[in-house]
């Protein structure tokens, strides 16, 4: 694949980005829980380490060392400790979502994601 083709494949559709931004207001309305958990976030640009800053029923805010553009589709798995969710074992949540916010915060990137699909599993 040529470098031009690779760049074209990595670009985010502007219409998808606008749709993601419109849904951001709905994401902000849910109560947020300040959980700091290590996560790997995978997008069309590859995978990268992240830490959750807060989690809600609608989405999650990550602190990351790299940018993930608004509109990007991401996949990630959150492992919630059993004591946090009131179960005997940890609970794994496999998530699929869209980046709706990306900003600079004290030398790291803040990346807000709306969760479109999720699946619970006992860890």
């Amino acid at each position: 694949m040529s470098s031009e083709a690779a760049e074209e494949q990595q670009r985010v559709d502007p219409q998808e980005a606008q749709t993601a931004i419109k849904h951001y207001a709905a994401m902000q309305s849910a109560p947020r829980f300040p959980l700091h958990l290590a996560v790997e976030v995978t997008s069309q640009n590859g995978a990268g380490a992240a830490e959750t800053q807060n989690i809600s029923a609608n989405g999650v805010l990550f602190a990351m060392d790299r940018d993930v553009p608004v509109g990007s589709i991401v996949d990630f798995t959150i492992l919630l400790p059993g004591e946090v969710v009131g179960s005997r074992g940890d609970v794994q949540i496999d998530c699929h979502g869209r980046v709706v916010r990306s900003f600079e915060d004290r030398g790291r990137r803040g990346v807000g994601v709306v969760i479109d699909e999720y699946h619970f599993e006992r860890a």
Side-chain angles (χ1 to χ4, degrees), residues 43-120:
S43 72
Q44 66 262 24
N45 295 333
E51 179 183 59
T52 63
Q53 299 301 291
N54 63 59
I55 299 173
S56 75
N58 300 332
V60 61
L61 176 64
F62 294 111
M64 303 181 71
D65 291 328
R66 67 181 186 93
D67 185 31
V68 182
V70 170
S72 297
I73 302 301
V74 295
D75 293 297
F76 54 95
T77 298
I78 297 174
L79 190 60
L80 293 174
E83 59 271 8
V84 170
V85 293
S87 72
R88 291 184 185 164
D90 294 345
V91 175
Q92 178 177 311
I93 309 170
D94 299 321
C95 303
H96 179 80
R98 294 169 284 117
V99 176
V100 294
R101 185 173 179 219
S102 181
F103 58 94
E104 180 75 26
D105 184 28
R106 290 174 278 187
R108 293 193 84 187
R109 297 298 306 175
V111 178
V113 174
V114 169
I115 299 172
D116 293 320
E117 298 176 31
Y118 62 90
H119 177 73
F120 284 94

